[in-house]
Amino acid sequence: MKNKYNKLVRDNIPTIIKENGEEPIYHTLNDNEYWLALLRKDTEELQEVKDATSKDEVLKELGDKLELIRAMAEYQGFTLDDVIKQADKKKETSGGFQKRLFLETVTKKEY
């Protein structure tokens, strides 16, 4: 029986599959395919965060998202530290999300 996945997986997954007595079929993506697969994986990981039903599951899924961000950054020539510094810089100017502000509308001043 074959299960189709057609998705980006972590580097050790083929070895783990083999250790379980199964045979993985996979290939290495080119640059464009890899970037697109990273973007699709981001959507998948976000859904897994949404579907998490316990704090432990949320933590695990957030860890997966962080690893994905690391891979995306590296693909673009950045480090995770570069991304964190950029986030910190933006937080200094625009703030974070701790206040839970939800912008509803903005009324433009008429002169």
Side-chain angles (χ1 to χ4, degrees), residues 16-109:
I16 293 168
I17 291 169
K18 287 178 188 176
E19 289 171 353
N20 288 330
E22 298 174 309
E23 189 59 36
I25 306 297
Y26 62 95
H27 68 278
T28 302
L29 301 173
N30 67 35
D31 284 348
N32 188 55
E33 291 170 327
Y34 180 53
W35 181 246
L36 293 174
L38 286 168
L39 295 174
R40 282 191 302 275
K41 189 73 170 177
D42 191 40
T43 300
E44 175 188 334
E45 294 300 340
L46 176 59
Q47 189 60 51
E48 290 176 4
V49 171
K50 289 179 180 181
D51 293 344
T53 58
S54 71
K55 282 202 157 286
D56 285 342
E57 283 182 50
V58 170
L59 180 59
K60 176 184 164 286
E61 299 306 336
L62 290 174
D64 287 346
K65 291 241 345 135
L66 184 59
E67 184 58 34
L68 181 63
I69 290 169
R70 181 192 331 256
M72 294 171 97
E74 288 174 357
Y75 175 82
Q76 294 293 337
F78 305 115
T79 65
L80 186 55
D81 193 47
D82 294 333
V83 174
I84 291 169
K85 285 178 184 174
Q86 181 61 40
D88 289 345
K89 183 178 174 183
K90 185 142 189 185
K91 186 175 182 178
E92 284 179 25
T93 59
S94 299
F97 296 99
Q98 288 72 26
K99 291 182 181 178
R100 305 178 184 191
L101 303 176
F102 186 83
L103 183 63
E104 295 175 29
T105 63
V106 174
T107 302
K108 195 170 194 165
K109 291 181 181 180

